[in-house]
Amino acid sequence: MRHKSIDLASEVKRAVLPDGLQGFLFPLYEAVSNSIHSLEERWGESVEEQGRIEIEFDSDASSVLIADNGVGFDEKNLGAFLTPLTGNKYERGGKGFGRFIAFKVFKEVLYSCRQISSDGVSSAGSYKYEPFADDDNLIEISSDEGVGAHRFDAGLTAVMREPHVEAKCLFDFGSEVYLEKDAREIISASLVDHFLVEFVQKKVPKNFFVIIQGMRINVHEYFFRSLFVAGSKTEFIEVGGICREFKFDYFQVGDLKMKKHRLYFYSNNRAASDLENISSGLNDKSFSKLRDDGMWRYFYLVAVSSEFFVASQSRDRIVNLHTKIEGDNKKKSIRDQLVGLAKGHILELESTYTLERKAKMTAEVEHLVAIDPLLRRGLGNKSAAEFVEGRSITETREQLAQDLFVERFRQKFDFTKISQNASVEQLVQIVKTQIPEDAKEALAVYVAYRNHVIRIFRELLNKNEDGLATEDKVHQLIYPRYKDSEEIDYSSHNLWLLDDDLAYAQYISSDRTLEGKRRGKGQFAHDILINNERELMIVEMKRPQKAGYSVADESSTDDPVGQLKSQISEIRRKGVIKTSGARDITIAPDTMVRGYVLADWNDSLQSYLELEDFIITNYGGRMAYRYYKTLNYMIEVIAFDRLIDRADNRNEAFVQILEGNSKFDLKPKSVFETPK
């Protein structure tokens, strides 16, 4: 028993809540979630009519009360309550651990309950919860000591009180935390946003109240006042030779209740996915329309259901959502196909917005090609309207200009097909025989752009005014931090600095965990990850001019080889990487993995690598490598000087060739000499 308590305490200590109001409300979300499950268990499909939830904030006592008329502490629920991580919660997609989070905000949690047994006998009790006690966690007390008798015929009352110092101010409902708005409405909006799926699926009772200082608001009415059913649509998709039916339901939700366009999948009338943000490529802002009460702004909520979906055992996700199918002349997951269809349907529903936006984009393209002949060639044989038709509805003027340039360049010559190790003679031959005269202008512009990036790269490697260069700026130049290739395209990064072939990799990720989330403080995450056909690459960057390398804890930034080994081993163990859009990328056991450490070369680094049994070479700039046979991965350590010299040499070769001079001597520009 003691061991379990220590584990629970450790878990609660490690838990990190959001800052501000959302962190304060997190224990409330957990309590309401438990109430909804309890109401479902008692009332079944009648929960919306028969259920009841009341939330009451007492600013004087600094306490929050949550009461429901669910099943209360019956024998099954009481046993599950006292034992975390039980199947009772797994059946509903939970883990039975949320109640401990209350102690991140409050010092004390009390319960009052009433339940009716199968033979009709009613019983009641009051309790104080001690989650880390060595013996009994739920201590029975008198109703006078606790929160009084439960207010309904059955169900549970939970009271959280004695907030920690940092949460105390949130009981001042006139403070700036509530932005001079009605605290009831702000808290109700937060509850609506958190339980959006449950509201739409009619699992929230009509009698759902938030009470502050004696004033109440009906959260159910609050939500449905700003919900409009926009329609439904059915699509048929062939999966594995079988035509499958998928139903899309569309809801318009007021912008006070929802802050982005979202989609969720559900199976067997139960949500089986998290809400996904689908604003990208659709509309980053809300739509609007004129109603009798004025201009109304709203976002779309899309629910997708199908008998094809198979939920996991815990019913919290759909296991076959990432099955690959043919679509748009290439293989894509069912999830991506359905999200794409949903966005297309919304643009059909918002036909006025779509026409206006397309017309604006067409005008932007016409203006761009009128003032820049190079961009005009990017249209090829298409009109401006035809060029816009195949592009994302949210592209900016700058993105359209980038796309025109890249389209122009790619139509004439694909620079990425040139081997990284092509000789000068091969480059000369390519320019003479494969690049048309009218394409050389585009190539010259592109090479000039790359020369500019290389110059910036060299400057970033120098000491700044504080005496130190920063890793962040180098990282940002090569690939934007906290992004992946589902969020940005090939024109938004400079991975060609590492290798020209990487520009069109199948998947690229920066500063993200294996679960597809942004790296948090102290979390494991790769600097850059690139997944290509049968090969995975992971890049670990060190701060320019960093000194002091040593074999230590593998999480230490002084031990980059240990960091990479740990990351690669974790990927091998999991066998899967999640993208920002929650898409699974499987890493087969026989996939070759390459790890790269980018750093300034110095004596400390060289000594460290020698101790790690690396082979060190100085041809064309300093680098070292070692192959790990058992796990089939290679780690290479490359000096920044070598990296930038190789990129500069290749670019300068093209400059000389384009100017008619094919005699270019490939010499390293770094301070190191090549071996004699």
Side-chain angles (χ1 to χ4, degrees):
M1 189 71 177
R2 179 182 296 275
H3 180 67
K4 182 186 79 170
S5 297
I6 292 172
D7 287 345
L8 294 177
S10 299
E11 290 296 329
V12 172
K13 186 177 180 180
R14 282 198 294 268
V16 178
L17 296 183
D19 293 332
L21 183 61
Q22 287 305 308
F24 170 67
L25 294 177
F26 207 84
L28 176 63
Y29 298 151
E30 292 294 337
V32 171
S33 178
N34 290 335
S35 289
I36 290 174
H37 291 158
S38 180
L39 292 172
E40 274 192 282
E41 192 167 334
R42 182 180 184 189
W43 299 110
E45 294 183 1
S46 301
V47 64
E48 192 176 33
E49 297 293 335
Q50 301 290 339
R52 191 176 186 94
I53 299 175
E54 292 185 356
I55 300 170
E56 192 166 350
F57 288 83
D58 187 330
S59 57
D60 294 329
S62 297
S63 66
V64 185
L65 176 149
I66 305 96
D68 64 65
N69 67 337
V71 295
F73 272 158
D74 62 11
E75 185 174 345
K76 176 185 176 184
N77 288 329
L78 184 60
F81 184 90
L82 292 173
T83 309
L85 307 176
T86 64
N88 197 42
K89 277 292 183 182
Y90 274 110
E91 292 174 2
R92 299 186 174 96
K95 297 179 176 62
F97 193 76
R99 59 188 173 275
F100 302 108
I101 298 299
F103 291 91
K104 295 290 288 186
V105 179
F106 299 92
K107 298 176 184 176
E108 189 173 67
V109 178
L110 304 171
Y111 294 100
S112 177
C113 67
R114 191 186 303 275
Q115 47 278 326
I116 304 171
S117 65
S118 57
D119 56 6
V121 177
S122 176
S123 60
S126 294
Y127 305 91
K128 182 178 182 180
Y129 189 44
E130 297 285 356
F132 313 126
D134 291 335
D135 299 314
D136 196 1
N137 298 112
L138 205 59
I139 302 169
E140 190 165 2
I141 57 178
S142 69
S143 59
D144 293 337
E145 292 180 89
V147 296
H150 181 61
R151 60 183 65 181
F152 303 125
D153 66 323
L156 185 69
T157 299
V159 174
M160 298 175 284
R161 64 189 188 189
E162 293 191 32
H164 296 299
V165 174
E166 58 271 21
K168 183 82 172 176
C169 63
L170 292 157
F171 281 97
D172 179 2
F173 298 110
S175 70
E176 62 181 16
V177 173
Y178 297 96
L179 305 174
E180 299 181 353
K181 294 182 180 179
D182 189 329
R184 292 172 302 154
E185 187 167 338
I186 291 175
I187 292 171
S188 296
S190 297
L191 286 164
V192 165
D193 192 53
H194 192 84
F195 294 102
L196 206 54
V197 173
E198 286 80 0
F199 274 99
V200 172
Q201 292 187 334
K202 299 186 180 299
K203 294 177 181 178
V204 176
K206 290 182 178 179
N207 289 307
F208 183 11
F209 298 97
V210 169
I211 306 162
I212 296 178
Q213 295 173 324
M215 303 290 289
R216 65 174 53 208
I217 184 171
N218 187 314
V219 185
H220 187 278
E221 291 179 1
Y222 176 79
F223 172 69
F224 281 97
R225 278 201 305 268
S226 290
L227 176 72
F228 176 75
V229 179
S232 62
K233 189 161 185 172
T234 299
E235 294 279 2
F236 294 90
I237 301 175
E238 186 175 311
V239 184
I242 301 174
C243 190
R244 302 286 189 173
E245 181 179 348
F246 297 87
K247 184 183 178 186
F248 296 75
D249 291 297
Y250 294 88
F251 307 91
Q252 293 170 350
V253 183
D255 63 351
L256 292 176
K257 314 299 184 296
M258 195 165 77
K259 304 302 181 187
K260 60 191 72 172
H261 302 288
R262 288 172 160 180
L263 174 147
Y264 72 96
F265 302 95
Y266 68 94
S267 176
N268 300 322
N269 199 34
R270 180 180 294 276
S273 75
D274 292 330
L275 286 166
E276 298 192 31
N277 178 9
I278 59 169
S279 296
S280 176
L282 177 62
N283 187 357
D284 291 333
K285 299 178 181 178
S286 59
F287 292 106
S288 62
K289 60 183 175 184
L290 187 63
R291 302 196 308 187
D292 293 340
D293 56 351
M295 189 63 69
W296 185 52
R297 300 187 181 281
Y298 56 91
F299 290 93
Y300 273 89
L301 175 66
V302 187
V304 185
S305 62
S306 174
E307 291 184 0
F308 167 76
F309 291 149
V310 177
S312 62
Q313 187 174 359
S314 60
R315 302 177 71 186
D316 63 346
R317 64 187 179 91
I318 295 172
V319 297
N320 57 343
L321 196 56
H322 298 289
T323 302
K324 296 289 185 181
I325 56 174
E326 293 290 338
D328 300 329
N329 298 318
K330 63 180 181 179
K331 282 194 172 184
K332 59 196 307 186
S333 70
I334 289 177
R335 177 257 175 209
D336 292 343
Q337 180 86 334
L338 295 175
V339 168
L341 287 170
K343 292 181 180 180
H345 295 163
I346 292 172
L347 293 177
E348 290 173 11
L349 290 168
E350 297 292 336
S351 57
T352 301
Y353 164 82
T354 302
L355 290 173
E356 290 176 351
R357 181 64 193 146
K358 289 285 188 182
K360 183 177 180 180
M361 291 170 66
T362 300
E364 295 278 19
V365 170
E366 289 172 344
H367 180 68
L368 286 167
V369 300
I371 62 175
D372 191 334
L374 181 62
L375 295 181
R376 186 186 305 122
R377 297 193 192 102
L379 288 176
N381 296 321
K382 296 179 180 178
S383 67
E386 289 171 333
F387 179 82
V388 165
E389 190 60 35
R391 319 219 76 76
S392 165
I393 196 77
T394 58
E395 283 202 32
T396 63
R397 175 188 172 91
E398 291 73 21
Q399 289 171 319
L400 288 168
Q402 284 183 355
D403 290 347
L404 281 167
F405 174 76
V406 173
E407 283 296 322
R408 162 70 182 122
F409 181 68
R410 294 189 71 190
Q411 284 177 15
K412 296 298 181 182
F413 182 73
D414 189 350
F415 190 72
T416 65
K417 292 181 179 178
I418 301 174
S419 169
Q420 176 74 8
N421 298 313
S423 67
V424 174
E425 289 74 18
Q426 289 172 318
L427 296 178
V428 172
Q429 189 67 13
I430 287 169
V431 173
K432 286 182 177 179
T433 62
Q434 296 185 34
I435 305 181
E437 287 299 320
D438 61 349
K440 290 181 182 178
E441 181 182 359
L443 177 58
V445 172
Y446 186 51
V447 169
Y449 159 75
R450 286 167 56 133
N451 275 337
H452 182 65
V453 172
I454 289 169
R455 182 180 62 79
I456 294 172
F457 195 179
R458 288 194 187 279
E459 290 176 358
L460 290 178
L461 296 180
N462 296 327
K463 292 183 178 181
N464 60 24
E465 57 188 15
D466 298 324
L468 293 173
T470 63
E471 176 192 338
D472 284 358
K473 291 180 181 178
V474 173
H475 190 145
Q476 192 74 17
L477 180 69
I478 295 175
Y479 199 93
R481 303 199 67 179
Y482 311 113
K483 300 290 184 181
D484 71 357
S485 50
E486 290 194 348
E487 300 172 290
I488 64 171
D489 61 19
Y490 55 84
S491 63
S492 302
H493 63 75
N494 295 301
L495 271 174
W496 54 267
L497 285 164
L498 274 65
D499 190 325
D500 280 311
D501 289 339
L502 300 183
Y504 298 95
Q506 293 172 328
Y507 177 69
I508 308 169
S509 171
S510 172
D511 273 322
R512 303 186 77 89
T513 67
L514 299 184
E515 288 71 38
K517 308 294 184 182
R518 282 182 54 147
R519 174 181 9 215
K521 186 176 181 180
Q523 275 188 303
F524 153 74
H526 41 260
D527 281 346
I528 301 176
L529 177 145
I530 305 116
N531 185 51
N532 250 335
E533 197 76 31
R534 308 299 297 167
E535 186 173 60
L536 181 72
M537 287 160 276
I538 304 173
V539 180
E540 180 69 36
M541 278 183 276
K542 298 288 102 177
R543 177 179 56 79
Q545 293 131 35
K546 173 179 171 57
Y549 292 91
S550 63
V551 179
D553 185 328
E554 61 189 19
S555 64
S556 169
T557 57
D558 292 338
D559 185 12
V561 173
Q563 284 181 286
L564 274 179
K565 286 162 63 179
S566 175
Q567 293 173 30
I568 294 169
S569 297
E570 182 70 4
I571 290 171
R572 288 286 197 216
R573 185 183 68 80
K574 287 181 176 290
V576 68
I577 297 166
K578 279 195 179 293
T579 69
S580 62
R583 179 169 59 90
D584 285 343
I585 294 178
T586 301
I587 307 299
D590 59 345
T591 299
M592 173 67 183
V593 180
R594 293 185 181 275
Y596 293 92
V597 177
L598 306 182
D600 268 339
W601 203 277
N602 52 46
D603 291 342
S604 175
L605 178 62
Q606 179 151 334
S607 299
Y608 163 76
L609 294 173
E610 288 170 351
L611 288 173
E612 286 289 294
D613 202 24
F614 272 65
I615 297 173
I616 298 174
T617 176
N618 195 28
Y619 184 74
R622 294 296 178 94
M623 72 162 293
Y625 61 91
R626 180 179 174 186
Y627 178 64
Y628 296 82
K629 182 176 180 180
T630 304
L631 290 175
N632 188 25
Y633 59 72
M634 171 81 79
I635 294 182
E636 297 181 34
V637 182
I638 302 173
F640 281 128
D641 286 319
R642 175 189 173 92
L643 187 73
I644 201 167
D645 282 349
R646 291 180 69 188
D648 201 1
N649 280 332
R650 286 178 50 72
N651 240 39
E652 202 162 324
F654 271 100
V655 172
Q656 298 294 332
I657 293 166
L658 288 166
E659 292 176 352
N661 177 13
S662 61
K663 294 180 180 179
F664 179 69
D665 186 17
L666 292 176
K667 293 180 180 179
K669 295 178 176 59
S670 67
V671 297
F672 300 104
E673 297 180 355
T674 56
K676 296 180 180 179

